[in-house]
Amino acid sequence: MAEWNAFYQNEDEQQEEEEAEFSGGDYKVSGRDSLVFLVDASKEMFIKGEDGQPSNFDMTMQVVRSVYTSKIISSHRDLIALVFYGTEQSKNPRNSFKHVYVYHDLDEPGAKRVQEVDALRREKGAQLAAQTMGSGETSLGDALWCCANLYSDIKLRLSHKRLMIFTCRDKPHGGDSAKDRQARTKASDLKETGVFIDLMHLIKPGGFDVSLFFRDIVSPPEDESELGLQMKPCNKLEDLQKRVQARETKKRALARLSLSLGDGLNVAVGVYATAVAARKPLAIRLYRETNEPVRSKTRTFHTQTGSLLLPSEIKKAQVYGKKQIVMEKDEVDAIKKFDDPGLFLIGFKPMEKLKLHHHIRPSVFIYPEEDEVKGSACLFSALLKKCSERNVFALCRSIFRRNYPPKFVALVPQMEEVDEGRVQISPPGFNVIYLPYADDFRTLDPPRCPSATQTQVDKMKEIISKLRFKYRSDAFENPVLQQHFRNLEALALDMMAPEDIEDLIMPKVDQIDQRLGSLAEEFKDLVYPAGYNPEIKPAPKRKTADAGGGAEKKPKVELTQDELKAHFQNGTLGKLTVPVLKEACKQFGIKTTGTKKQDLIDALNSTLTS
Amino acid sequence: MAGGKSALVLCMDVGFSMSNSAPGEEPPFALAKKVIQKFVQRQVFAETKDELALVLFGTDSTKNPLDQDGQYQNITVHRHLTVPDFDLLEEIEHQIHPENQQADWLDALVVCMDLLQTETQGKKCDRLNIVFLTDLSTEASSDNLDVIIENVKKAGITLQFFLPFPLEDKEEGDGERTGSGDPGRGKGLSREQRSGLEMVKHIMLSLDEEDGLDEIYTFRNAVEQLCMFKRIERRPMTWPCQLTIGSSLSIRIVGYKAVTEEKLKKMWITVDAQTNKKDDVKRETVYCLDDDNETEVQKEDIIQGFRYGSDIVPFSKVDQDQMKYKHDGKCFAVLGFTKKNLVLRHQFMGTQVVKIFCARDDEHAGVAMSALIRGLDELNMVAIVRYTYDRRSNPQVGAAFPCIKPEYECLLYIQLPFMEDLYGRQHMFPSLENNKKIAPSETQLSVVDSLIDSMMLVADDENEELRDLFKPHHLPNPAFQRHFQCLHHRAVHPDSPLPPMESWLEAALDRPEVIKERCQAPLEEIKKLFPLTEVEKKKKLKTSAQIFGKDSEEPDAKKAKEDEAEEEFNLADIAEGSVTSVGSVNPARDFRALIKQKTLPFGEVCQQLTHRIEQLLSNKNMQYYMKSITCIQAFREQSVKQGNADLFNSYLQSLKRSIPSRALEVFWDLLVQDAVTLISKDEVEGSAVSKNEASQFLLAEERKEQPAPELVEDTGDVDDLLDMM
């Protein structure tokens, strides 16, 4: 058991390393992302949908809220603004624009803002909006101008600037051509400064005609084929959420590499992470008196002289077979270097050679970088098409960062897929699956068990069929993270208690039981003998050991000094358990900082050698 | 069971015949020594608990416990049973030489058996093994052969023989197993060797009738096999739990971590370069406030907090523990079942695969598991489960795939993503197929087709068997191999530089030779048909440095700070020395630099500046206002320095006059807030403005209601203002 636990700790380290492998990426170069929600607040937006469907405004606020909270979790440094147009009241920095209401100016989202967006949701939200902002005249030109000012007031460097217009009116100015013209001018001004304008058009009775006005407002799509892709208005919250989510973050390559086919044939590709384990952010150290963050500085100095040590004055060492082996710091790096970063094609294999259990870390995705090497997209596309047609994957040796040892990866072709609404579900490119080395497999001794009869299998199949559902990868929230952020939210807003979370990965036992009905009992009658209870462990002696284990084990931790020395001489300290080693360290008066087994052994070794 | 270890005796012949070899061949002694070295090396780096002894025979001297009455002569116990270390490796390297005697190898075997028996007493050894390396050139007395075999059997000792020549000389045509050419065989075997070989066969077959002969190896094969460092082995730990479906159906299971990325166990420690001692180096972390003095803060005065967007929320560990998500601990609970194709391979998360079996020795659980596994398999479905390792770890959602092998049935558990893990990463990419500009032509596609043909790593053999030319999962991790190679080299040759990569490793990481040849032609074709041109990038160096930058240890916040400061720095560089006029990007800085340079007259520089100010003010925008104010401040500061108040004062006065007509009230308010007023006599001798007037200058404007002063004869035309300068 102890070892499993140790694995768990390792896992964290591994993940850190993994992230280190891809840390940096493009983010550093580019500054911060910014996003302005420009929401129509006209009366039309507040009309409730059929069958109690939420109004367009309500739906928009839900999406805005979810973007706020997601940003807080995933990229809190991005800036978001929320601006309403077509309001009765005006509120903007210099109050120079009528009927434009800047609810939130461009800033990092925080707890208070989430609460304020929340206040605009549902029936009550509509009332609040009517009270504070009201609905009035519309001048999209003024609204866009106001947004331009929001951008220019920001002193930070912005990398990606996006503006999303949420509306259900395809003729916002009702045919006022002067206003239309002004809006077009302002939109092109904005686009010129690098702002990408998106339209999130919502359902409108009689259909939303983009060509009437908005086609000239929005930014042209990134590539030609995308034209017409987004022409259907959103009528469902889910769709809107998906559409917003897909556009609100800029895709960033973790790295740009060359995919070498050999012989100087190099295709440039960008590497993208499609799923990265979101984890609780690290705690920040604060000064007790003022709650201001503190910085940490780490210094390396000489124990005797107390002088600071330069990197040239230290070396690295490892101990094996009782011998300390010393290397220069750059030699340690040099050992890890096999080649320059890149992907090198070894050959192709049929897909069935890719085993399900060859999994050691989440995959990444590659897509050609025409900006780096012209012609990449064409060759990449040909490879993709052919691999997919022939149902083969490309086996590559890969080095993702400088001084990283090589790993083998499978490039699995993925053709583009779009849904009925012509929204891309899966992009074209290769998924990069990391393959394990021989060292990564553990030798198991599987227990031998009897097989089930077809009757038993069939009964289980009935159970399986009863509990069928359609798995969606984005259906489960991480309860640990959600709870953490709810706690923070409660503290930040001085709430009495954090909001309850719904644990989506808890089995819905009642529903399951109900659906199964008598099937569970029938299955048990088929496979279990009468009186068999799987809940009870068959080895009661083990149970007592578990219960009293802590108390019983303790007396054993002491070891005489002679015994210890014998272990040391034979190099068998590693055989001892951590508590024994800790006790031994105490006996020898060694202060240990580490709690890992190796730390304790190292400490003992160095004391006993000297 | 766990805890056992093995004890092994390496028994090497160093007698004179071992140095004999055919011309151009390595003598058996050298090969045998290599085998031993490689083997001990592996043991040392694998850090096994296994113990090892070294017995030499054919030595000039005699040193063994059985040495009595002229018996067991020329046999030396070089090292008693201990865990192997570098001392042993160095001894092998430097102290083991060919010697001039011969000894009976059966005597040596007896010495080894005796050693194993006496030295393993009181130790928990579950495997006893003797490895023999000899050329069998001495005649051994077969008198006690059967007694010896009986004793080997009784003690449960296993034997391995390493010989310079292969076992079967008749099967030479058979090739593969013995390796053709058979070096070491020389001119054929001597009479002694023949009879020795018969004896070896006899011994091995009496120990194990079926596979006994498999434990006889040649030196050369052994060296090849041992050149890899031993793969890291970890004993899998069991994870007993219950698989539950609803509240009433549960199956006792046991999980094992089956595949996970193995890491080196040891970390590098930091030592002092001079003394090579770890204790001479100390690392210390101090905390300080982010102020100018970097005020140090005691560790006790530090509390922890978390970021919630823009807010930093103090949140103590105690509170955090109390409020955190809690669960019931260990579980493997089915949430439901779904079609296998809905669980996408590229969405696998985590770093491991766990194999789930039925509990050991519980056949009822076995039947239940089997029903589930087969049921899933037949329906082509998987279970979606909640998996929690234990109370302290976080729950996961994952998929359990059925896996049916001839030897066993199990579920493969793999973690799946949470919504948060995918957030903001599901991007759309421009279509490749629908883009006419990049769509490959039919000819281009057919070349790629032939490339794939030429590079297929899996091919049908003549025997209709699939042959895989390249299996990464059979390769040892090259990073570990290289790591140990370098460590070993440094340990044995402390002063020489690190060795190049071993050639076998390099070859193992490369394309197989067959493929290399076969793909030549298609690659040439592709080169012709797919033009690839690298796009020149100005900032190429910078971006690549950032992508692969080595400063990844730096905290994120610091990095971000640098970015934001970056632009400033670059401009500072530009401003340095090379300023020739007041530019629009940072006019105040340019202005100061030009005045410092004194290449242009003061008046002209001021005119350039005011020109910029007017340009800035024509954009009615806060950012430009701020910039204008810094310009005006710089103007004032430099004017005071130069002792020339007139230009500034007259500009400011005319600016003030033009405020109402140009609707610059907001800007003027800012100027008032910053108290930028006329330069008075007290500051500059020649100024025509008194201190009182200067302070009145701003005050007057605050009384906004008053009609604009009559002074306004012009309407604040920009050109006029500039003409005044």
Side-chain angles (χ1 to χ4, degrees):
Chain A
M1 289 295 255
E3 211 183 332
W4 261 83
N5 188 32
F7 293 159
Y8 262 84
Q9 278 160 5
N10 278 345
E11 217 163 66
D12 272 358
E13 282 165 33
Q14 281 174 19
Q15 274 168 13
E16 262 157 49
E17 235 174 83
E18 208 173 289
E19 272 161 34
E21 182 161 345
F22 280 128
S23 76
D26 261 6
Y27 200 72
K28 224 186 124 187
V29 203
S30 37
R32 304 219 198 162
D33 276 3
S34 60
L35 173 63
V36 174
F37 292 111
L38 181 57
V39 182
D40 186 355
S42 64
K43 291 215 166 60
E44 289 89 331
M45 287 289 285
F46 291 93
I47 297 168
K48 280 223 193 88
E50 289 159 30
D51 324 321
Q53 285 281 314
S55 70
N56 280 328
F57 186 83
D58 197 2
M59 209 158 80
T60 306
M61 285 309 110
Q62 285 203 47
V63 171
V64 171
R65 186 198 195 270
S66 83
V67 171
Y68 270 55
T69 49
S70 310
K71 283 276 184 191
I72 283 172
I73 296 177
S74 61
S75 44
H76 65 83
R77 290 168 51 80
D78 290 357
L79 308 176
I80 312 185
L82 176 57
V83 180
F84 296 100
Y85 72 97
T87 55
E88 180 58 43
Q89 305 297 320
S90 314
K91 179 174 168 252
N92 43 72
R94 288 173 283 282
N95 276 326
S96 41
F97 304 108
K98 291 247 166 70
H99 308 297
V100 179
Y101 198 101
V102 177
Y103 198 72
H104 289 149
D105 59 5
L106 265 179
D107 203 351
E108 295 173 2
K112 203 160 156 275
R113 291 192 161 197
V114 174
Q115 215 176 26
E116 285 162 0
V117 173
D118 255 345
L120 292 177
R121 284 170 57 190
R122 305 202 185 84
E123 194 67 34
K124 268 190 189 160
Q127 283 168 21
L128 181 73
Q131 277 165 27
T132 51
M133 304 183 291
S135 300
E137 264 177 66
T138 299
S139 166
L140 196 61
D142 278 351
L144 290 171
W145 194 350
C146 177
C147 293
N149 286 347
L150 291 182
Y151 280 116
S152 55
D153 283 351
I154 293 295
K155 297 272 162 17
L156 300 164
R157 219 164 107 187
L158 298 176
S159 56
H160 182 56
K161 295 187 263 190
R162 198 174 270 271
L163 186 140
M164 287 183 186
I165 304 173
F166 290 78
T167 184
C168 58
R169 294 184 295 160
D170 47 10
K171 283 190 288 183
H173 306 120
D176 180 339
S177 61
K179 274 186 170 178
D180 277 358
R181 197 169 51 241
Q182 190 215 10
R184 275 197 286 269
T185 326
K186 285 299 155 193
S188 75
D189 285 354
L190 264 175
K191 285 182 270 190
E192 234 163 69
T193 58
V195 178
F196 199 93
I197 304 177
D198 255 334
L199 176 67
M200 295 294 148
H201 47 309
L202 305 159
I203 196 81
K204 169 184 176 273
F208 194 109
D209 189 350
V210 180
S211 64
L212 286 178
F213 168 69
F214 276 101
R215 194 165 53 188
D216 300 331
I217 296 291
V218 298
S219 299
E222 284 170 72
D223 71 317
E224 294 156 33
S225 64
E226 219 177 304
L227 256 179
L229 205 69
Q230 306 275 318
M231 289 310 180
K232 220 177 78 182
C234 290
N235 56 354
K236 273 195 297 214
L237 180 67
E238 253 171 58
D239 289 350
L240 185 63
Q241 214 139 18
K242 234 192 260 169
R243 195 175 287 189
V244 170
Q245 217 194 78
R247 321 207 118 226
E248 60 97 350
T249 44
K250 189 178 193 282
K251 42 181 183 267
R252 282 208 167 80
L254 300 166
R256 296 205 175 79
L257 298 174
S258 66
L259 163 62
S260 168
L261 309 188
D263 216 8
L265 266 169
N266 294 325
V267 175
V269 295
V271 183
Y272 301 85
T274 45
V276 173
R279 290 190 301 154
K280 224 165 24 185
L282 290 178
I284 303 171
R285 292 189 191 86
L286 305 175
Y287 181 43
R288 188 191 291 279
E289 304 293 321
T290 57
N291 279 349
E292 62 184 308
V294 297
R295 287 196 294 130
S296 67
K297 287 194 290 191
T298 305
R299 298 187 285 229
T300 310
F301 58 90
H302 197 275
T303 321
Q304 256 94 58
T305 65
S307 59
L308 287 179
L309 290 170
L310 297 170
S312 61
E313 290 169 319
I314 52 174
K315 285 186 182 175
K316 295 283 172 184
Q318 287 198 344
V319 180
Y320 272 102
K322 288 196 240 167
K323 190 180 177 94
Q324 176 171 283
I325 305 164
V326 182
M327 290 200 195
E328 300 284 348
K329 220 174 161 281
D330 51 349
E331 285 179 322
V332 172
D333 289 335
I335 292 176
K336 287 190 221 140
K337 172 158 183 165
F338 282 68
D339 209 342
D340 289 329
L343 288 157
F344 179 79
L345 178 67
I346 299 286
F348 299 89
K349 285 189 185 188
M351 276 309 288
E352 63 266 20
K353 282 280 164 186
L354 182 63
K355 297 286 184 266
L356 195 68
H357 65 283
H358 288 183
H359 165 70
I360 46 169
R361 52 166 69 187
S363 64
V364 290
F365 179 77
I366 57 170
Y367 186 85
E369 286 274 340
E370 196 71 1
D371 295 346
E372 301 267 322
V373 175
K374 212 165 172 299
S376 292
C378 182
L379 182 46
F380 186 95
S381 170
L383 266 175
L384 181 66
K385 196 165 178 195
K386 277 296 160 190
C387 284
S388 169
E389 262 177 35
R390 303 183 48 163
N391 204 24
V392 296
F393 68 86
L395 181 71
C396 287
R397 185 180 69 222
S398 75
I399 295 175
F400 281 98
R401 272 176 72 109
R402 187 159 295 179
N403 288 345
Y404 264 72
K407 290 196 164 77
F408 285 93
V409 295
L411 304 188
V412 179
Q414 172 176 297
M415 296 307 275
E416 183 182 18
E417 255 180 87
V418 292
D419 66 9
E420 324 84 65
R422 299 199 59 206
V423 175
Q424 194 175 61
I425 315 170
S426 64
F430 286 100
N431 286 307
V432 181
I433 312 274
Y434 290 86
L435 301 174
Y437 283 120
D439 304 80
D440 305 334
F441 291 89
R442 308 236 162 134
T443 325
L444 305 181
D445 174 23
R448 285 187 172 270
C449 278
S451 309
T453 63
Q454 197 54 46
T455 338
Q456 290 162 331
V457 173
D458 288 342
K459 188 53 80 183
M460 182 47 91
K461 276 160 85 175
E462 280 181 57
I463 292 179
I464 293 171
S465 307
K466 278 272 187 251
L467 300 179
R468 259 176 92 139
F469 76 111
K470 206 172 163 203
Y471 171 78
R472 277 200 1 254
S473 57
D474 57 358
F476 301 101
E477 287 182 344
N478 185 341
V480 178
L481 269 186
Q482 291 296 334
Q483 184 69 59
H484 177 74
F485 281 101
R486 294 289 165 88
N487 289 345
L488 289 179
E489 186 186 50
L491 288 169
L493 297 173
D494 287 326
M495 284 153 62
M496 291 296 285
E499 234 181 289
D500 283 333
I501 62 153
E502 191 190 348
D503 187 347
L504 295 170
I505 59 164
M506 207 58 183
K508 297 188 175 66
V509 175
D510 293 341
Q511 282 183 38
I512 293 178
D513 288 349
Q514 210 189 341
R515 297 195 116 210
L516 289 185
S518 61
L519 276 173
E521 286 309 316
E522 288 165 33
F523 178 75
K524 282 199 283 188
D525 289 345
L526 277 175
V527 294
Y528 293 154
Y532 174 87
N533 186 353
E535 315 278 335
I536 296 167
K537 291 182 181 172
K541 54 178 183 201
R542 182 147 185 176
K543 206 166 188 182
T544 51
D546 269 355
E552 272 170 40
K553 270 179 197 161
K554 275 205 174 126
K556 280 196 278 179
V557 296
E558 262 167 77
L559 215 63
T560 65
Q561 298 219 348
D562 289 339
E563 281 175 300
L564 257 170
K565 279 187 180 139
H567 275 295
F568 163 68
Q569 261 142 24
N570 296 332
T572 51
L573 281 172
K575 249 175 70 171
L576 303 174
T577 61
V578 173
V580 176
L581 287 168
K582 272 195 184 152
E583 192 58 38
C585 285
K586 262 192 216 155
Q587 273 188 41
F588 284 96
I590 306 165
K591 276 188 197 151
T592 52
T593 45
T595 48
K596 284 213 178 142
K597 194 167 184 178
Q598 198 58 47
D599 294 336
L600 296 168
I601 294 172
D602 288 346
L604 277 170
N605 271 333
S606 58
T607 312
L608 292 170
T609 340
S610 54
Chain B
M1 231 344 256
K5 59 180 174 185
S6 61
L8 181 141
V9 186
L10 290 171
C11 187
M12 178 176 169
D13 190 349
V14 294
F16 72 83
S17 64
M18 288 287 281
S19 325
N20 297 339
S21 68
E25 270 178 25
E26 262 183 299
F29 174 84
L31 281 172
K33 186 166 158 173
K34 245 187 220 170
V35 172
I36 290 188
Q37 270 178 326
K38 293 274 186 195
F39 182 79
V40 175
Q41 233 176 67
R42 277 166 53 126
Q43 294 294 108
V44 168
F45 283 113
E47 298 209 295
T48 60
K49 301 166 206 161
D50 301 345
E51 297 188 18
L52 198 142
L54 179 60
V55 174
L56 306 174
F57 64 101
T59 49
D60 300 345
S61 60
T62 302
K63 198 180 139 202
N64 69 68
L66 304 179
D67 165 25
Q68 231 175 15
D69 313 328
Q71 292 254 17
Y72 301 102
Q73 290 306 295
N74 305 105
I75 298 170
T76 302
V77 176
H78 187 88
R79 185 173 167 117
H80 290 273
L81 210 54
T82 41
V83 173
D85 52 22
F86 267 100
D87 294 342
L88 178 60
L89 275 177
E90 268 167 58
E91 281 167 28
I92 296 171
E93 173 97 16
H94 302 296
Q95 292 174 18
I96 297 184
H97 309 290
E99 304 198 26
N100 300 313
Q101 299 298 318
Q102 290 284 56
D104 183 332
W105 59 270
L106 274 179
D107 278 356
L109 177 59
V110 175
V111 170
C112 293
M113 285 164 61
D114 173 68
L115 184 148
L116 273 183
Q117 237 139 29
T118 49
E119 294 187 16
T120 53
Q121 264 170 26
K123 290 178 186 165
K124 240 173 49 189
C125 289
D126 55 8
R127 267 191 70 209
L128 304 176
N129 192 15
I130 298 172
V131 176
F132 246 84
L133 300 108
T134 176
D135 62 354
L136 299 173
S137 289
T138 27
E139 195 162 359
S141 73
S142 57
D143 303 350
N144 296 322
L145 191 57
D146 290 331
V147 183
I148 292 172
I149 291 173
E150 211 37 54
N151 279 329
V152 171
K153 267 191 191 164
K154 224 193 268 166
I157 295 172
T158 51
L159 285 180
Q160 284 174 308
F161 278 89
F162 290 82
L163 307 174
F165 41 82
L167 192 58
E168 307 292 339
D169 50 345
K170 290 151 212 146
E171 290 175 39
E172 216 153 334
D174 193 29
E176 268 196 294
R177 244 179 82 190
T178 47
S180 53
D182 283 340
R185 188 160 276 260
K187 294 170 199 128
L189 301 182
S190 65
R191 191 184 56 82
E192 291 82 8
Q193 285 174 318
R194 266 184 233 281
S195 79
L197 198 56
E198 283 314 306
M199 257 194 272
V200 169
K201 279 193 203 164
H202 176 66
I203 296 172
M204 296 310 278
L205 286 174
S206 10
L207 290 177
D208 183 345
E209 255 176 77
E210 273 177 36
D211 303 319
L213 297 183
D214 289 350
E215 293 297 324
I216 304 171
Y217 308 90
T218 66
F219 288 161
R220 195 161 293 277
N221 276 349
V223 172
E224 273 165 25
Q225 278 175 22
L226 287 170
C227 67
M228 285 180 202
F229 287 92
K230 202 170 175 168
R231 81 182 175 99
I232 296 179
E233 275 185 53
R234 293 231 211 180
R235 195 167 281 118
M237 293 299 293
T238 55
W239 180 72
C241 191
Q242 280 170 31
L243 181 152
T244 57
I245 304 172
S247 65
S248 60
L249 184 52
S250 65
I251 306 173
R252 293 179 54 231
I253 53 166
V254 55
Y256 294 95
K257 195 175 261 207
V259 183
T260 192
E261 205 168 333
E262 206 55 72
K263 303 275 168 177
L264 288 171
K265 274 187 270 178
K266 287 197 175 169
M267 303 293 262
W268 290 97
I269 49 173
T270 307
V271 297
D272 182 75
Q274 235 109 69
T275 59
N276 282 352
K277 274 195 192 148
K278 178 172 94 172
D279 294 342
D280 286 342
V281 180
K282 217 179 153 190
R283 268 168 85 87
E284 186 194 60
T285 305
V286 291
Y287 302 98
C288 55
L289 297 179
D290 204 6
D291 57 13
D292 292 342
N293 302 326
E294 301 207 315
T295 319
E296 224 170 271
V297 175
Q298 292 309 303
K299 217 179 163 195
E300 304 83 71
D301 291 328
I302 290 173
I303 53 169
Q304 70 163 10
F306 286 95
R307 208 172 255 291
Y308 185 78
S310 53
D311 311 299
I312 295 178
V313 183
F315 195 12
S316 73
K317 279 210 172 76
V318 182
D319 287 346
Q320 201 194 336
D321 269 354
Q322 210 150 55
M323 292 172 76
K324 77 171 183 207
Y325 173 82
K326 291 181 193 73
H327 57 83
D328 299 335
K330 190 187 262 197
C331 91
F332 198 83
V334 172
L335 303 181
F337 300 96
T338 196
K339 275 276 169 213
K340 193 177 164 190
N341 58 11
L342 291 176
V343 180
L344 300 171
R345 165 89 211 216
H346 63 266
Q347 284 186 335
F348 286 3
M349 297 295 288
T351 54
Q352 58 170 346
V353 176
V354 179
K355 281 189 177 170
I356 307 281
F357 298 96
C358 64
R360 233 167 242 284
D361 307 322
D362 184 341
E363 57 178 286
H364 310 304
V367 173
M369 266 302 264
S370 171
L372 175 61
I373 294 164
R374 283 165 184 254
L376 286 172
D377 188 61
E378 285 173 26
L379 293 168
N380 210 9
M381 291 181 79
V382 299
I384 301 295
V385 296
R386 173 195 176 96
Y387 166 88
T388 317
Y389 171 65
D390 73 2
R391 194 176 290 279
R392 285 162 301 175
S393 48
N394 293 336
Q396 304 174 351
V397 62
F401 295 85
C403 166
I404 301 176
K405 289 274 162 79
E407 315 86 61
Y408 60 87
E409 295 171 2
C410 70
L411 291 172
L412 296 173
Y413 169 78
I414 296 166
Q415 193 187 347
L416 293 174
F418 282 116
M419 184 270 281
E420 292 88 340
D421 305 339
L422 302 171
Y423 186 82
R425 300 188 186 275
Q426 306 299 297
H427 299 294
M428 297 194 197
F429 287 82
S431 173
L432 289 175
E433 257 191 309
N434 304 335
N435 187 336
K436 286 191 188 74
K437 267 185 259 164
I438 54 164
S441 67
E442 279 308 312
T443 18
Q444 282 176 320
L445 283 172
S446 77
V447 190
V448 171
D449 231 354
S450 60
L451 178 78
I452 295 178
D453 281 334
S454 73
M455 293 185 81
M456 277 313 279
L457 295 166
V458 183
D460 282 323
D461 223 22
E462 296 95 82
N463 313 333
E464 302 264 309
E465 255 174 88
L466 279 184
R467 215 158 57 94
D468 196 334
L469 294 171
F470 201 96
K471 290 183 178 167
H473 60 281
H474 285 181
L475 265 183
N477 189 334
F480 301 169
Q481 299 296 319
R482 174 77 177 141
H483 181 84
F484 291 133
Q485 183 210 355
C486 291
L487 279 178
H488 176 246
H489 178 89
R490 178 53 49 87
V492 183
H493 311 281
D495 298 317
S496 75
L498 296 178
M501 194 148 349
E502 285 186 84
S503 53
W504 73 267
L505 184 58
E506 226 159 337
L509 295 175
D510 206 353
R511 260 176 211 170
E513 286 299 327
V514 217
I515 300 285
K516 262 190 210 166
E517 273 169 45
R518 279 207 310 239
C519 69
Q520 273 310 321
L523 277 180
E524 281 304 317
E525 278 296 297
I526 287 187
K527 241 186 197 171
K528 268 185 236 151
L529 288 173
F530 290 90
L532 292 169
T533 42
E534 206 161 322
V535 178
E536 286 281 337
K537 279 247 168 121
K538 279 178 233 153
K539 290 206 291 184
K540 181 91 182 180
L541 228 167
K542 187 183 143 201
T543 47
S544 62
Q546 263 151 350
I547 290 163
F548 310 112
K550 48 190 165 192
D551 50 0
S552 56
E553 291 106 343
E554 273 185 87
D556 254 342
K558 197 173 161 192
K559 268 189 218 160
K561 231 178 171 175
E562 275 169 15
D563 300 336
E564 279 155 28
E566 194 174 49
E567 202 166 40
E568 289 282 306
F569 283 135
N570 289 346
L571 286 165
D573 291 344
I574 297 162
E576 204 76 24
S578 59
V579 182
T580 52
S581 65
V582 178
S584 61
V585 183
N586 196 335
R589 194 201 303 260
D590 293 356
F591 173 69
R592 287 196 186 97
L594 282 170
I595 290 188
K596 215 169 145 193
Q597 282 173 25
K598 288 188 183 134
T599 45
L600 291 172
F602 181 65
E604 188 175 338
V605 183
C606 291
Q607 196 176 345
Q608 284 190 7
L609 181 74
T610 49
H611 189 80
R612 287 289 172 214
I613 296 173
E614 292 307 319
Q615 276 184 343
L616 289 169
L617 289 177
S618 63
N619 298 300
K620 292 198 177 37
N621 175 308
M622 207 39 123
Q623 210 178 357
Y624 293 118
Y625 289 171
M626 300 309 289
K627 217 167 174 178
S628 307
I629 287 178
T630 56
C631 290
I632 293 171
Q633 280 167 334
F635 192 2
R636 192 177 194 281
E637 154 206 312
Q638 293 301 321
S639 297
V640 173
K641 253 193 200 164
Q642 300 284 323
N644 184 342
D646 292 350
L647 288 174
F648 179 78
N649 284 351
S650 61
Y651 174 70
L652 200 63
Q653 279 161 343
S654 66
L655 180 65
K656 186 180 170 184
R657 285 193 296 274
S658 71
I659 294 296
S661 59
R662 293 162 76 195
L664 282 172
E665 285 84 1
V666 180
F667 167 70
W668 187 257
D669 285 347
L670 291 171
L671 209 59
V672 173
Q673 269 170 34
D674 286 345
V676 183
T677 184
L678 299 173
I679 300 173
S680 70
K681 265 189 204 139
D682 301 42
E683 289 169 287
V684 171
E685 279 283 326
S687 169
V689 182
S690 72
K691 199 177 176 190
N692 202 24
E693 278 176 302
S695 47
Q696 287 293 315
F697 181 71
L698 293 177
L699 274 178
E701 191 52 38
E702 274 177 43
R703 274 179 259 119
K704 260 185 179 163
E705 297 80 12
Q706 282 192 355
E710 303 82 51
L711 281 168
V712 191
E713 63 272 88
D714 55 14
T715 48
D717 189 339
V718 179
D719 288 333
D720 285 350
L721 273 168
L722 291 171
D723 286 344
M724 284 176 63
M725 296 302 296

